[in-house]
């Protein structure tokens, strides 16, 4: 049994590396904003009843309008960093939610099954993160000089959606902000706070859109999916 959950969809970034005028989550892919792709995937997971979206300041109404008819949602103003956006969203997550899934709007190809899989992995952990193996040899480089080669056996690339027990996620974020620690995903916040995070197999198709090349790859992938 998966716990009753709420999803936080992170759409509060500016997406400068994408080079578009619109913030990344609002850029269209196959005729739909990335935010809507992410919201539809989250809401298609049977355990997730509603979503909270962190939108960039000034674009809250636009986010709300885009999600009209998509499903139950609330919109909050995102923070200066991703971690700040999660904290803002946590403020409106109902206290009765047992589990919280955090998902980046920048990953439009996450399947509903991956949301279910991370939630199921909470049975013996406080958090769960999908990961992929590192295909390349990994170097530690400083100032253009190779300091060494890392063993990639124990390294993994983290994706979202990531699922958490609501109490652990709230506690970890509370401690991180108190300590002035700002990290790039929620699993890292839980790890830092000493909680147990399980890794489950990620999905290579669930790639993050960061650069214009990623967006071009995403258009091709969306075309393939549409053609079946
Ligand atoms: O910049 P990056 O791609 O790592 O951002 C990951 C996700 O976090 C994106 O979906 C972005 O919209 C979101 N984010 C946010 N608030 C910020 C920065 C990023 O919600 N201040």
């Amino acid at each position: 049994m998966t716990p009753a959950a709420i999803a936080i969809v992170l759409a509060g970034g500016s997406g400068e590396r994408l080079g578009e005028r619109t913030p990344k989550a609002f850029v269209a892919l196959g005729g739909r904003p990335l935010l809507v792709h992410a919201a539809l995937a989250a809401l298609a997971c049977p355990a997730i009843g509603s979503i909270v979206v962190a939108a960039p300041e000034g674009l809250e109404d636009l986010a709300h309008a885009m999600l009209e008819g998509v499903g139950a949602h609330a919109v909050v103003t995102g923070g200066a960093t991703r971690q700040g956006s999660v904290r803002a969203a946590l403020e409106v997550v109902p206290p009765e939610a047992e589990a919280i899934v955090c998902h980046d709007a920048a990953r439009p190809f996450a399947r509903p099954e991956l949301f279910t899989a991370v939630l199921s992995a909470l049975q013996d952990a406080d958090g769960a993160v999908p990961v992929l193996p590192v295909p390349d040899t990994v170097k530690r480089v400083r100032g253009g000089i190779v300091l060494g080669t890392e063993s990639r056996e124990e390294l993994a690339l983290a994706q979202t959606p990531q699922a958490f027990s609501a109490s652990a996620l709230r506690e970890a974020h509370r401690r991180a902000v108190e300590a002035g620690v700002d990290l790039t995903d929620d699993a890292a916040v839980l790890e830092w706070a000493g909680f147990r995070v399980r890794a489950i197999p990620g999905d290579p198709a669930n790639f993050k859109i960061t650069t214009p090349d990623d967006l071009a790859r995403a258009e091709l992938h969306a075309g393939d999916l549409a053609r079946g």
Side-chain angles (χ1 to χ4, degrees):
M1 260 280 282
T2 47
I6 281 235
I8 293 176
V9 178
L10 281 311
S14 62
E16 271 165 24
R17 286 170 291 179
L18 197 57
E20 301 268 337
R21 276 208 303 266
T22 331
K24 180 160 64 181
F26 295 76
V27 168
L29 170 70
R32 261 186 196 147
L34 297 184
L35 166 60
V36 174
H37 285 279
L40 282 167
L43 288 162
C45 167
I48 295 177
S50 65
I51 59 171
V52 177
V53 174
E57 191 171 2
L59 293 180
E60 299 88 341
D61 288 348
L62 181 60
H64 187 61
M66 284 172 168
L67 294 167
E68 199 72 58
V70 167
H73 68 275
V75 178
V76 298
T77 308
T81 63
R82 186 186 179 286
Q83 198 171 304
S85 291
V86 175
R87 277 202 308 277
L90 282 174
E91 294 288 317
V92 305
V93 171
E96 59 272 17
E98 292 169 52
I100 300 174
V101 181
C102 296
H103 183 50
D104 291 342
R107 291 185 188 269
F109 298 117
R111 297 195 179 97
E113 293 78 7
L114 193 55
F115 286 80
T116 303
V118 282
L119 282 165
S120 302
L122 291 182
Q123 270 164 6
D124 66 348
D126 306 302
V129 52
V131 299
L132 291 178
V134 178
D136 300 327
T137 298
V138 180
K139 303 289 183 194
R140 182 174 297 279
V141 179
R142 193 180 302 152
I145 299 296
V146 176
L147 300 181
T149 300
E150 303 289 325
S151 162
R152 66 184 176 202
E153 291 307 304
E154 291 190 347
L155 298 180
L157 303 171
Q159 299 186 326
T160 70
Q162 301 179 358
F164 306 97
S165 106
S167 57
L169 184 66
R170 289 185 197 278
E171 170 70 7
H173 273 273
R174 190 188 59 72
R175 278 159 49 187
V177 74
E178 250 174 45
V181 167
D182 195 71
L183 300 162
T184 48
D185 74 3
D186 301 283
V189 180
L190 262 81
E191 294 149 31
W192 170 85
F195 288 100
R196 183 176 154 87
V197 178
R198 175 163 291 289
I200 68 158
D203 176 2
N206 177 28
F207 60 91
K208 189 170 80 158
I209 297 180
T210 305
T211 64
D213 280 351
D214 297 330
L215 191 57
R217 179 181 168 205
E219 291 287 1
L220 288 175
H221 187 60
D224 288 347
L225 290 180
R227 281 187 292 276

